[in-house]
Amino acid sequence: MKIGGCETVPHNLERICQYIDHTLLKPEATAVQVVQLCKEARQYGFASVCVNPCHIPLVARELKATGIRTCSVVGFPLGAHRTEIKAAEAALAVEDGADEIDMVLDIGALKDGRGNQVSEDIKAVIRAVAGRALVKVIIECSLLTAAEKVTACRLAVGEGADFVKTSTGFGHGGATVEDVRLMRSTVGPDIGVKASGGIRDLETLLQMIDAGASRIGSSSGVAIARELENKK
């Protein structure tokens, strides 16, 4: 399976799990819950564990030498932080052990038509972790028009992002098949597309992969894996 880009829809448990970023971003998440998240990731072989920055050192220790990646969010969930803060947050997350960064772009600047500011925001984060971590740019599709989604994807790719991502999961809506298709058609076959938000069952996950998603962000990874196990 590719880290980014297109892939045919998988049908076995191991390959399905390799698509999933096992996610816990609730503000009330405890260390005990994060350790359990990592245990589940090891059990099922998920692609990564995605948590808030304060939990990155713990996750990096729990996943050491497993091949499962440690993912931190940056500028989350609003994207309204100053660019310097996003860049510093990303750099610190990598120093703490993050392999992947999911950053929220400056949504207001995008809607204002300030593309240069959006680009500089993305560029600063990518430069802060260059060569050390993948960067996924969250465009928060539910707040954007179709034209704005296309613009956001093009700006992210133009600055060297590894992935574009549909949603934070904290907005007005999550991933849709239509958005994933639009994003895939915009970025082409070699950039990752991460579908995130509201993906709670196997059918929805497979629809997203069929539409062009190469990574799935979900807090329901275990439920999805068990659903597939029960189909054997």
Side-chain angles (χ1 to χ4, degrees), residues 6 12 15 24 29 71 74 90 121 129 134 145 162-163 169 171 178 184 190 216 218 225-227:
C6 299
N12 64 69
R15 293 192 69 210
L24 178 59
C71 177
V74 163
D121 196 54
V129 302
L134 296 177
T145 66
D162 299 287
F163 281 76
E178 293 76 17
R184 173 55 67 201
D190 298 322
I216 303 294
S218 179
R226 287 175 178 168
E227 185 180 351

Side-chain angles (χ1 to χ4, degrees), residues 91-138:
L92 286 170
V94 171
E95 289 175 16
D96 284 341
D99 305 297
E100 301 188 354
I101 299 295
D102 287 19
M103 70 161 290
V104 188
L105 61 67
D106 187 334
I107 301 164
L110 179 71
K111 295 191 76 67
D112 273 344
R114 290 179 275 130
N116 287 341
Q117 186 171 332
V118 176
S119 292
E120 289 300 317
D121 196 54
I122 296 168
K123 183 191 298 183
V125 171
I126 291 174
R127 284 180 173 173
V129 302
R132 299 184 293 163
L134 296 177
V135 175
K136 310 187 196 90
V137 177
I138 306 171

Side-chain angles (χ1 to χ4, degrees), residues 14 27 32 59 96 111 121 148 160 162 168 188-190 202:
E14 181 179 359
V32 170
V59 171
D96 284 341
K111 295 191 76 67
D121 196 54
E148 289 167 343
D162 299 287
T168 61
D190 298 322
L202 180 62

